[in-house]
Amino acid sequence: MKSTLNLLLILLITQFSTAQENADSVQPETEKIKDSTISNLNNYRWRFEMGIGESKGIVPFSDSFFSTNNKKKFGVIDINSYMVGVNYSFTKAVGFKSTLAFDRFREKENKSKSFETAQFRFSLETVLDLNHYIKFNAEDSRFKLLFHSGIVLSTLQKITSNNSPVAGRRELNGGVVFGLTPMYRITKQGFVHLDLISIHNFRQHYTWDGTYSNPNNNLYGHMINASLGFSYSFGKLLKWKSDNKEIVDLENKNKKLEARIEDIETKMNDTDKDGVADYLDAENNSVAGVAVDSRGVMVDVNKNGVPDELERYLEKKYGSAEQANAFNSSQESSNFFKKSIDEGYISILFDIDSATPNTISYDGIYFILNYLKQNPASNLTIVGYADAKGNKEYNQKLALARATNVKNILVKSGIEENRLNAISGGTDQTVDINATDARKLVRRVIFKLK
């Protein structure tokens, strides 16, 4: 049994060493650096531990009983301890662990009387990351050094006995445990570790050889343990706040730069697409395609309330302003305009998800503008619509934005704002929702005269 356990221990150490050599040989240098940095930020909440090693009772022993081998200068390794545990990280530097272990004590040479005892122990401990406290280790190191301490409860039972009439009786012991655990990371989440602990029982009636003393005599017990093991981190990966002043300062600078970039991006938005950023734009709802000055204001040299470029376009299409006004002032044109408006023949069209009239729609705006100027007693309700694509709430807002933009164009062209009322008609469902061309006709604004 002993030779089998020793062989397993050798194989375990060999496997860990080979895995490390293979990992380092296949990874490029940049990848190793990256992985090592991940190790420092490898602060998972949970870590599972297991290990095998040797436990040795120090005191008390009965006369003629002992566990050392005096023939060997450094003694003889006896794999007689097995443990499993779980570790929970509460902060970057502080955690808690719970361990369940089994130990078997026996003589190591013929000079000692034969004995064999078995112990089960359970501990609850606080774990401190010494890397954090004494700051002796590099940020990106694979090495960690932990200190742990807490309470331990155990049961000690004699397996064979030639002296005690109470052989086999279990004794409940209690005390404290102190330990030091060097760890070395071999994978992103895996560590090999050496756990060195010292247990001090303040209530122990059995000696380590299994002799039971007077129940009124509370014996002091001391044992040590050294275990080689493997631990694996799991659960949610947490990023603790760094205590390195340089890193903290750099993170603060990055946050400030990100805020400045976000502010600049916001200022550089060009809502009305006139080529002037919003933070410089004095008129950020100018008509698309109309020339603006360096302040984003539509150019209107003759100060007649109609942007010059739009005015030239209308004169080219419909003749001079005098000709247009002559036609507009006639009763025939007045009736024509009123009928066209009320029956919805004059409408303003929009592109998908856009609240800006498309370029071909400015003819309709010009008709409405001329009618309102020639009929100062008329008021106008502007009704915006959206097609059936998208959700109802979004379409309601988009339709209102379309009506409002047309109203703003008319106001900037010289129509009193109190004569205009912009409302949302919501979704127009009069056409097939899957008919792309038909939906172009319902993304519109229509008008109602009052």
Side-chain angles (χ1 to χ4, degrees), residues 3 114 153 157:
S3 60
S114 177
L153 298 175
Q157 181 180 16

Side-chain angles (χ1 to χ4, degrees), residues 169-198:
R169 177 178 175 181
R170 289 186 177 88
E171 170 68 5
L172 179 63
N173 303 324
V176 294
V177 57
F178 303 93
L180 196 65
T181 309
M183 303 178 66
Y184 188 78
R185 185 178 63 84
I186 59 172
T187 68
K188 181 180 177 182
Q189 294 170 253
F191 294 83
V192 290
H193 67 260
L194 177 64
D195 193 21
L196 306 172
I197 66 172
S198 177

